Amino acid sequence: MKLLPDLWFPRRGAGVGVLTLLCCWTVGSLAVVSAADPLDWTYWRGPNGDGISQETGLVDDWDPKGGEGSNVAWKRDDLGGRSTPIVMNGRLYTLVRAEPETRREGEKVVCVDVKTGETLWENRFNVWLSDVPDTRVGWSSVVGDPETGNVYALGVCGYFQCINGETGETIWDYPLHEQFGLLSTYGGRTNFPIIVDDQVLISGVIIGWGEMARPTDRYISFDKRTGEVVWFAGTRPLPEDTTYSGAALSVIDGVKTLVFGSGDGAVWAFQPRTGKPMWNCDISMRGLNVSPTIVDGVIYTGHSEENIGITAMGTVIAINGHEAKGNITDSDKVMWRQDELMVGRSSPIAIGDRLYCFDDRAKLFILDRKTGEVLFERISLKDRMMRASPVYADGKLYVLTANGRWHILKPDQEEGVVTLSDGSIRQAEFHASPVVSHGAVYVQSTEGLYCLVDPEKTPGTTPAPEQPQESPVTEDPQPAQLQIIPAEVLLKPGETQKFRARVFNSRGQLLKELNDSDVEFSVQGPGQIAADGTYQAPAESNHVASYVTVKSGELTSKARLRIVPTLPWKFTFDELDDVPITWVGARYRHVLRNVDGSKAMVKITTIPKGTRSRAWMGHPDLHDYTIQADVKGARTNDQLPDIGLIAQGYTLDLMGNAQKLQIRTWDPQLRMARDVDFAWEEDKWYTIKFQASVEERSDAEGKPRKIAVLKGKVWPRGEAEPEAWSVEAIDESPQTVGSPGLFGNAKVAELYLDNIEVYPNQ
């Protein structure tokens, strides 16, 4: 490993005039707080959210082989991946695979020293109950918060955590899939968290409970310090896709605005502090993966899917965000569009009066930013695929293509671009975007992480252009929106939760936190709430939901609560009219129906976006329990369904067409999976039983370590339970907690469940 001699870090307290000027920037579309280092790269698209850096003195070429005289300051061969790193406080953070191609494989956030490349800490976690293949681990990128020094990371399965940036310790976390129903698919597309004031926002297709049971691309906002849910907001139900369109944050007409591409094929704008939708523009039949670029209130984005109303695929579009309201699809807010440009992965970048668009086949198109006229087209990057977004810094474009090619291009008025240098890395792929910070360019490929510095150059900066500021709160002092916090809670019987309220103006600016005397609380459903907002769940309760409403004047806001009792549970469905409301991901996908003389839970084949799915029944911190159910599968066109139970992060799957019984935790990877042949028949009831436990055993050196022990069995209903387990598995990288749940694949034939029980291990 080669040490980096002179990264440019302004000393605190030295050069006060220069440093103060830098800290007062409003860079791009994100206001830099005074405590932040203006040369840090805390969001995957940079401090300004548009892929542009003001730094100078950067590399003009690159020899990936390194060696004496090379501009490769250091390289980490063991930190290859697809996640765009961030840089904050002299540290680089990235998401990568952990212990790849082993029985312990998972995911981890790694923190390294930017000067040396040496690891400072790792935060490792499992991938569980996900359809993501191992090669797509680390799809998201972490985000850094300069105010607290914390970083926030979304794992590919939906595990979301706040991490102390100094120590690597987890401060708070959520399994978003188990607790809220975030969908994790084979495509691996997971989104990017973003910091807005005192909140951290993350999005995904969520199949929740109650009125949120239908799949919808939704944002969840958390208090960045405590993890409390601040708000939920969604686009339209039943989107075609999950997406990886990172949000862009800007100020338009004096209003802080969050703009993103949604799974429903539209560009949306929300108020980021309240989640209030502002406007949307439909541009595709499928989900949008490109992260928008915003310049002077104009949004530039694209896609490479089916267009609405025409047969041509793909488009690049410019949307005037000024005074936009409601659905603006057919309005004059669409300034221009260039159809048949397949810009569906890499975000466009605006330089001067030109828009640089890299299509999915690694061809560069340069458009007039005001008119959309194509000035230069199909400039080849000597590759056939591109996912990474470009970065513009020091008068150069740093561009990476999917099959291991890199380019450093200089925009040119006459020729479009001039190639300063290019090359390729054998057996490497580039999915992550370049990063610029403190005189260095960081590049992450699937075969390594590079830090590039030109030792012959002196790093510097150029002034950032002025950007619009939020209108003063004094211009709009009237209360217009009420917000109750937390917006969603999962409780046990007898527990309490304190609610509070704050009020915002019409622009989504905070006016004040409200005192208890300023508001009135009420509850709909079980439980009681005091005048000070303290909710008391009933001491004894089944699986029920309640809603707490806060009222101030004519304004109201509602919070959702699930009350889920401790084990044991039993569900026969005979006394119910619907699937229990508290089950995440269940109601939309299942119905209750009379089957063989009694009510049973049925997963039907005609549910859009939900025939193969998981559902969760309760608290994600449960462990050492058994789940049991009676199950039956129909046969359609010689096809059988798959029917499974979930315990503590593991699935026991009665596989129809394969005629096997399998224990697993991560579907495509099968790192610890075990299966046995098991012949079963259609239209015949079976009892299936699955036990999960955490045990402590000694390793080869005699040191104690925890493992997960999983056991499953199946037998015809009504017959004596066999003494022996049908299949057993051990996980050396154990998932030690997890909600009980259900797995089902009804794409080809219906499946039926009855007499579901969950109880502590005997």
Side-chain angles (χ1 to χ4, degrees):
M1 179 184 296
K2 182 179 176 182
L3 300 185
L4 184 60
D6 288 305
L7 272 182
W8 182 41
F9 289 96
R11 290 181 292 119
R12 302 291 182 183
V16 175
V18 174
L19 188 56
T20 301
L21 175 63
L22 294 174
C23 289
C24 290
W25 283 352
T26 299
V27 184
S29 57
L30 291 178
V32 179
V33 298
S34 59
D37 187 328
L39 303 184
D40 279 352
W41 192 276
T42 58
Y43 185 58
W44 77 279
R45 291 209 74 200
N48 53 1
D50 60 4
I52 295 178
S53 169
Q54 306 304 134
E55 293 199 41
T56 60
L58 305 175
V59 295
D60 296 320
D61 57 14
W62 172 26
D63 181 3
K65 295 180 181 178
E68 191 66 29
S70 166
N71 54 21
V72 178
W74 54 259
K75 180 192 176 186
R76 288 287 300 270
D77 295 310
D78 59 330
L79 291 183
R82 62 190 305 126
S83 174
T84 300
I86 66 164
V87 175
M88 183 175 68
N89 298 332
R91 298 169 177 230
L92 179 145
Y93 305 87
T94 188
L95 271 167
V96 295
R97 293 169 69 177
E99 301 180 73
E101 300 178 3
T102 71
R103 285 175 54 83
R104 294 178 52 82
E105 177 161 0
E107 192 169 5
K108 61 183 178 181
V109 178
V110 181
C111 171
V112 305
D113 187 293
V114 296
K115 293 184 179 180
T116 66
E118 295 178 348
T119 297
L120 299 176
W121 54 255
E122 294 182 354
N123 183 307
R124 190 198 183 286
F125 48 94
N126 281 333
V127 177
W128 77 98
L129 301 180
S130 173
D131 295 334
V132 175
D134 54 6
T135 53
R136 297 194 174 191
V137 167
W139 190 292
S140 181
S141 297
V142 302
V143 66
D145 177 34
E147 185 180 5
T148 62
N150 297 333
V151 295
Y152 301 81
L154 177 67
V156 286
C157 71
Y159 178 58
F160 188 53
Q161 57 179 327
C162 168
I163 302 172
N164 184 305
E166 290 289 324
T167 67
E169 295 179 357
T170 299
I171 298 172
W172 55 260
D173 61 348
Y174 285 97
L176 297 183
H177 50 337
E178 295 190 25
Q179 189 150 346
F180 301 111
L182 184 137
L183 184 64
S184 171
T185 68
Y186 186 81
R189 294 186 292 266
T190 42
N191 227 305
F192 306 93
I194 187 170
I195 302 291
V196 183
D197 300 339
D198 60 348
Q199 303 173 40
V200 56
L201 282 54
I202 188 62
S203 71
V205 173
I206 292 175
I207 308 100
W209 63 274
E211 65 274 23
M212 294 188 188
R214 289 202 298 169
T216 303
D217 196 348
R218 290 187 170 97
Y219 263 89
I220 313 176
S221 172
F222 298 94
D223 184 297
K224 69 182 183 182
R225 290 181 173 85
T226 67
E228 286 184 307
V229 178
V230 178
W231 56 259
F232 264 102
T235 58
R236 284 173 294 216
L238 306 183
E240 285 294 323
D241 299 295
T242 57
T243 71
Y244 52 90
S245 172
L249 188 64
S250 188
V251 173
I252 303 175
D253 298 332
V255 179
K256 188 172 284 191
T257 306
L258 188 83
V259 182
F260 60 95
S262 174
D264 66 357
V267 181
W268 284 78
F270 281 6
Q271 289 182 359
R273 300 184 184 100
T274 66
K276 179 182 177 180
M278 300 169 66
W279 55 262
N280 64 286
C281 182
D282 303 319
I283 65 172
S284 175
M285 299 289 289
R286 301 186 66 87
L288 305 178
N289 292 306
V290 171
S291 298
T293 296
I294 307 176
V295 183
D296 298 330
V298 177
I299 296 92
Y300 302 96
T301 190
H303 71 83
S304 54
E305 304 291 347
E306 297 94 333
N307 284 299
I308 299 172
I310 59 175
T311 58
M313 299 278 286
T315 198
V316 174
I317 190 170
I319 301 169
N320 181 359
H322 293 285
E323 300 181 356
K325 294 180 181 179
N327 188 295
I328 60 173
T329 304
D330 298 320
S331 73
D332 60 2
K333 297 301 178 183
V334 178
M335 297 169 54
W336 54 258
R337 59 183 296 160
Q338 277 288 350
D339 293 325
E340 299 186 68
L341 294 189
M342 305 287 282
V343 180
R345 295 167 177 164
S346 180
S347 297
I349 195 161
I351 305 172
D353 58 1
R354 293 182 174 183
L355 190 70
Y356 293 74
C357 305
F358 296 84
D359 76 2
D360 298 355
R361 294 160 292 194
K363 301 294 187 293
L364 169 60
F365 292 75
I366 304 177
L367 280 57
D368 184 289
R369 195 160 61 82
K370 293 183 179 179
T371 67
E373 176 188 358
V374 178
L375 305 175
F376 300 90
E377 59 182 339
R378 296 184 179 86
I379 299 174
S380 176
L381 300 179
K382 305 175 185 178
D383 198 352
R384 293 174 293 177
M385 185 183 298
M386 185 163 175
R387 284 195 177 96
S389 295
V391 164
Y392 179 68
D394 196 19
K396 302 180 283 276
L397 279 164
Y398 295 90
V399 182
L400 307 171
T401 64
N403 293 309
R405 292 202 63 85
W406 56 269
H407 303 262
I408 302 178
L409 309 173
K410 185 176 182 61
D412 184 85
Q413 198 69 19
E414 302 299 325
E415 300 182 38
V417 291
V418 174
T419 300
L420 299 181
S421 63
D422 64 0
S424 63
I425 304 176
R426 291 188 59 188
Q427 298 181 328
E429 300 174 9
F430 288 119
H431 306 293
S433 302
V435 166
V436 174
S437 182
H438 293 91
V441 178
Y442 299 92
V443 175
Q444 188 163 35
S445 76
T446 53
E447 56 78 58
L449 173 64
Y450 297 82
C451 173
L452 312 178
V453 174
D454 189 334
E456 303 299 322
K457 290 189 176 183
T458 301
T461 64
T462 59
E466 290 188 12
Q467 296 293 319
Q469 301 293 307
E470 279 194 274
S471 300
V473 175
T474 54
E475 292 185 3
D476 185 12
Q478 297 302 314
Q481 303 176 67
L482 193 61
Q483 185 178 81
I484 187 170
I485 300 174
E488 178 156 325
V489 183
L490 174 60
L491 298 176
K492 296 175 183 176
E495 290 186 334
T496 61
Q497 175 64 54
K498 178 71 167 67
F499 290 91
R500 65 188 192 277
R502 52 189 183 183
V503 67
F504 295 80
N505 63 15
S506 63
R507 296 170 176 162
Q509 295 170 303
L510 178 65
L511 296 180
K512 65 176 180 177
E513 299 274 349
L514 296 177
N515 297 321
D516 298 337
S517 58
D518 298 328
V519 298
E520 178 184 342
F521 291 97
S522 61
V523 61
Q524 176 187 354
Q528 297 179 336
I529 193 161
D532 68 351
T534 300
Y535 170 83
Q536 174 77 54
E540 295 184 5
S541 173
N542 291 320
H543 296 244
V544 294
S546 286
Y547 298 86
V548 169
T549 298
V550 63
K551 186 174 187 295
S552 178
E554 298 300 317
L555 302 177
T556 62
S557 182
K558 184 180 290 187
R560 303 173 358 128
L561 299 89
R562 288 187 294 150
I563 299 98
V564 176
T566 55
L567 301 181
W569 308 331
K570 186 170 184 178
F571 304 90
T572 64
F573 304 114
D574 292 327
E575 304 300 322
L576 299 179
D577 296 323
D578 204 343
V579 176
I581 189 173
T582 56
W583 290 11
V584 169
R587 272 201 171 181
Y588 167 74
R589 294 155 160 176
H590 301 81
V591 298
L592 296 188
R593 186 193 299 167
N594 286 320
V595 180
D596 297 335
S598 67
K599 280 186 182 179
M601 185 171 163
V602 184
K603 187 165 194 181
I604 58 178
T605 61
T606 56
I607 302 172
K609 316 298 180 189
T611 52
R612 183 183 187 279
S613 64
R614 302 172 184 86
W616 288 276
M617 303 163 68
H619 297 277
D621 60 354
L622 293 176
H623 58 89
D624 294 276
Y625 58 84
T626 299
I627 179 169
Q628 179 175 312
D630 294 339
V631 302
K632 184 176 81 165
R635 184 183 291 272
T636 303
N637 297 325
D638 204 32
Q639 301 284 306
L640 287 171
D642 298 331
I643 312 172
L645 303 180
I646 293 172
Q648 198 176 290
Y650 300 88
T651 300
L652 175 65
D653 186 4
L654 187 61
M655 306 170 76
N657 294 330
Q659 292 287 279
K660 290 181 179 294
L661 183 65
Q662 183 181 77
I663 294 175
R664 62 177 183 267
T665 185
W666 182 1
D667 289 24
Q669 208 269 1
L670 299 179
R671 63 174 179 81
M672 48 67 63
R674 291 290 183 269
D675 60 61
V676 295
D677 293 332
F678 190 91
W680 60 282
E681 304 172 17
E682 72 272 17
D683 298 324
K684 180 177 179 179
W685 284 99
Y686 294 85
T687 300
I688 181 169
K689 183 176 182 179
F690 188 29
Q691 182 185 96
S693 61
V694 180
E695 298 183 8
E696 192 171 279
R697 297 185 182 178
S698 298
D699 60 17
E701 299 177 354
K703 297 179 180 179
R705 61 185 176 90
K706 289 184 177 181
I707 62 170
V709 178
L710 299 314
K711 301 177 181 180
K713 64 174 72 172
V714 183
W715 66 94
R717 185 173 73 172
E719 296 185 7
E721 177 182 345
E723 186 173 330
W725 294 96
S726 305
V727 60
E728 300 184 41
I730 290 176
D731 189 2
E732 298 171 355
S733 180
Q735 190 61 29
T736 58
V737 293
S739 168
L742 307 170
F743 169 79
N745 183 359
K747 287 185 176 181
V748 294
E750 288 186 345
L751 59 91
Y752 313 90
L753 304 102
D754 200 1
N755 301 316
I756 299 175
E757 298 182 63
V758 187
Y759 49 88
N761 291 339
Q762 305 292 320

